[in-house]
């Protein structure tokens, strides 16, 4: 897997209190920088020397809540040479469209009844007409209880273990966990995507970093990113399934509360740029020490391949001790 040159040139630099302002010899005279501050927090992040077209873009972000401030600062970013961008086609906000047979092949199921092609939804409250409803099950819920609601919303079909007699639309039957089916679809959606994927984890600062990386990459074209708190074993595959294929890059948050979770999310999303922000005392009910938290966060780098980039916080010794696979570029700031 190759890293997109624009993303590979980015250096994500978590620093404390003061932004380390540096300059490159090719920095154009009077080139503006973007600074977003949150006086209520002393933690700062920067995305330095991000190359957009022929020029680098310098960003400094302070605080964990800058996402809400992005829009007010958007006009500070000048219009750069976008001649290399491809035209954006009609924006399908519903994500990747699948045929019934494609869904069945991806999940290892059986297309019992064909239906129209459509994207995937797991929530009847937000399901749009023409989408396939994937019936997730869990300890406190069963998506199969909402088949009537999905049908009333005009679903193209259901991906699940069962439907009721006389089911009138499509049905892809799955034996076993529908969560695994969702994750298989998310993994295939990632493989279909040709652009770079940035995966971000850490005990704090994921949302701010994700928002600012996405903002920095906007001159490339449409940037798909995590919506809300969709950063777990359900949210990450849903984020990938919602990604328009014309997106130029994808920026994902990855959260965890136990060992093995980040490794699974990385397997599904295959980030080409893997960012570890910090290690802190989060979810300590499931860990015996900060070293175990670091081990869990460090799972994001385990599957990195030659050509990928791993970005580590040089100010955090636990992050710096993470082993990086051979052939993977290591960036420490």
């Amino acid at each position: 897997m190759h890293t997109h040159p624009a993303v590979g040139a980015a250096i994500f630099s978590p620093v404390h209190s003061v932004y380390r302002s540096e300059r490159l010899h090719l920095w154009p005279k009077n080139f503006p920088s973007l600074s977003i501050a949150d006086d209520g927090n002393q933690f700062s992040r920067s995305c330095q020397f991000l190359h957009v077209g022929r020029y680098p873009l310098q960003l400094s972000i302070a605080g964990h809540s800058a996402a809400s401030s992005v829009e007010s600062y958007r006009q500070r970013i000048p219009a750069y040479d976008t001649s290399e961008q491809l035209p954006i086609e009609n924006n399908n906000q519903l994500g990747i469209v699948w045929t019934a047979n494609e869904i069945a092949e991806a999940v290892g199921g059986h297309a019992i009844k064909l239906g129209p092609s459509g994207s995937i939804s797991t929530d009847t409250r937000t399901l749009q007409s023409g989408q396939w409803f994937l019936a997730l099950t869990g300890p406190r819920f069963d998506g199969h209880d909402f088949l009537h609601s999905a049908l009333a919303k005009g679903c193209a079909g259901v991906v699940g273990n069962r439907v009721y007699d006389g089911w009138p639309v499509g049905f892809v039957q799955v034996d076993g966990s529908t969560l695994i089916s969702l994750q298989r679809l998310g993994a295939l959606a990632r493989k279909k995507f040709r652009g770079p994927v940035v995966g971000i984890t850490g005990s704090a600062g994921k949302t701010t970093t994700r928002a600012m990386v996405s903002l920095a990459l906007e001159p490339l074209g449409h940037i798909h990113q995590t919506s809300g708190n969709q950063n777990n074993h359900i949210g990450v595959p849903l984020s990938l399934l919602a990604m328009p294929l014309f997106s130029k890059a994808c920026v994902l948050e990855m959260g965890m509360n136990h060992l093995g979770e980040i490794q699974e999310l990385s397997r599904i999303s295959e980030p080409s740029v893997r960012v570890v922000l910090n290690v802190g005392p989060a979810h300590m009910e499931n860990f015996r020490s900060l070293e175990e938290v670091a081990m869990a966060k460090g799972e994001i780098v385990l599957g990195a391949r030659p050509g990928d980039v791993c970005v580590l916080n040089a100010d955090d010794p636990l992050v710096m001790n993470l082993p990086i696979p051979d052939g993977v570029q290591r960036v420490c700031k």
Side-chain angles (χ1 to χ4, degrees), residues 142-313:
D142 186 343
H144 299 88
D145 294 338
F146 300 94
L147 297 184
H148 287 284
S149 297
L151 185 60
K153 285 286 194 77
C155 70
V158 164
V159 183
N161 304 133
R162 61 190 183 276
V163 291
Y164 56 78
D165 291 341
W167 180 253
V169 294
F171 176 40
V172 174
Q173 187 174 41
V174 175
D175 296 325
S177 170
T178 51
L179 172 59
I180 292 176
S181 298
L182 174 67
Q183 293 173 341
R184 287 175 175 173
L185 283 165
L188 184 55
R190 167 61 181 105
K191 293 183 185 301
K192 288 175 177 284
F193 181 57
R194 300 300 182 185
V197 173
V198 181
I200 302 168
T201 192
S203 297
K206 293 185 293 294
T207 298
T208 296
T209 306
R210 180 260 299 167
M212 296 312 300
V213 171
S214 300
L215 178 62
L217 293 175
E218 271 190 357
L220 298 176
H222 182 271
I223 307 301
H224 184 68
Q225 60 179 303
T226 297
S227 175
N229 61 351
Q230 290 190 331
N231 63 8
N232 63 6
H233 59 296
I234 295 175
V236 168
L238 282 175
S239 295
L240 290 166
L241 288 169
M243 178 168 52
L245 287 179
F246 56 74
S247 298
K248 301 304 180 198
C250 177
V251 185
L252 298 175
E253 294 181 42
M254 297 185 188
M256 66 89 202
N257 59 21
H258 60 269
L259 284 169
E261 189 167 4
I262 294 291
Q263 184 174 9
E264 180 66 12
L265 299 182
S266 300
R267 182 194 64 79
I268 294 169
S269 60
E270 296 184 1
S272 38
V273 178
R274 301 165 186 244
V275 183
V276 185
L277 299 175
N278 46 51
V279 174
H283 305 292
M284 293 305 292
E285 68 276 10
N286 297 326
F287 299 99
R288 293 173 294 182
S289 65
L290 282 178
E291 286 73 19
E292 280 198 356
V293 177
M295 186 184 306
K297 295 295 184 184
E299 290 170 355
I300 193 172
V301 305
L302 294 180
R305 303 171 183 175
D308 289 349
V309 177
C310 290
V311 183
L312 306 180
N313 177 7

Side-chain angles (χ1 to χ4, degrees), residues 3-277:
T3 301
H4 192 286
V7 178
I11 302 174
F12 304 91
S13 176
V15 296
H16 292 283
S17 301
V18 181
Y19 170 58
R20 303 176 192 164
S21 179
E22 303 176 39
R23 300 284 172 176
L24 293 180
H25 69 278
L26 50 83
W27 196 276
K29 185 177 180 180
N30 298 324
F31 192 85
S33 64
L34 172 66
S35 179
I36 294 180
D38 181 352
D39 294 335
N41 201 297
Q42 293 184 342
F43 197 80
S44 163
R45 306 199 181 287
S46 64
C47 176
Q48 302 175 23
F49 313 143
L50 180 73
H51 287 73
V52 179
R54 295 171 297 173
Y55 301 108
L57 175 64
Q58 180 183 14
L59 296 178
S60 173
I61 309 99
H64 295 169
S65 304
S68 61
S69 304
V70 167
E71 192 62 37
S72 62
Y73 285 87
R74 194 177 299 272
Q75 293 183 353
R76 288 204 193 178
I77 300 180
Y80 303 112
D81 178 11
T82 56
S83 59
E84 297 179 1
Q85 294 184 27
L86 295 177
I88 294 179
E89 301 171 2
N90 292 332
N91 189 0
N92 177 12
Q93 294 290 351
L94 299 180
I96 297 175
V97 173
W98 310 79
T99 68
N101 286 326
E102 286 173 338
I103 295 172
E105 182 178 359
V107 303
H110 307 281
I112 304 299
K113 187 169 185 177
L114 298 180
S117 299
S119 54
I120 304 294
S121 172
T122 60
D123 190 339
T124 56
R125 295 170 297 182
T126 57
L127 183 143
Q128 301 293 312
S129 177
Q131 288 189 291
W132 283 78
F133 175 58
L134 193 148
L136 288 176
T137 60
R140 296 184 299 275
F141 64 90
D142 186 343
H144 299 88
D145 294 338
F146 300 94
L147 297 184
H148 287 284
S149 297
L151 185 60
K153 285 286 194 77
C155 70
V158 164
V159 183
N161 304 133
R162 61 190 183 276
V163 291
Y164 56 78
D165 291 341
W167 180 253
V169 294
F171 176 40
V172 174
Q173 187 174 41
V174 175
D175 296 325
S177 170
T178 51
L179 172 59
I180 292 176
S181 298
L182 174 67
Q183 293 173 341
R184 287 175 175 173
L185 283 165
L188 184 55
R190 167 61 181 105
K191 293 183 185 301
K192 288 175 177 284
F193 181 57
R194 300 300 182 185
V197 173
V198 181
I200 302 168
T201 192
S203 297
K206 293 185 293 294
T207 298
T208 296
T209 306
R210 180 260 299 167
M212 296 312 300
V213 171
S214 300
L215 178 62
L217 293 175
E218 271 190 357
L220 298 176
H222 182 271
I223 307 301
H224 184 68
Q225 60 179 303
T226 297
S227 175
N229 61 351
Q230 290 190 331
N231 63 8
N232 63 6
H233 59 296
I234 295 175
V236 168
L238 282 175
S239 295
L240 290 166
L241 288 169
M243 178 168 52
L245 287 179
F246 56 74
S247 298
K248 301 304 180 198
C250 177
V251 185
L252 298 175
E253 294 181 42
M254 297 185 188
M256 66 89 202
N257 59 21
H258 60 269
L259 284 169
E261 189 167 4
I262 294 291
Q263 184 174 9
E264 180 66 12
L265 299 182
S266 300
R267 182 194 64 79
I268 294 169
S269 60
E270 296 184 1
S272 38
V273 178
R274 301 165 186 244
V275 183
V276 185
L277 299 175

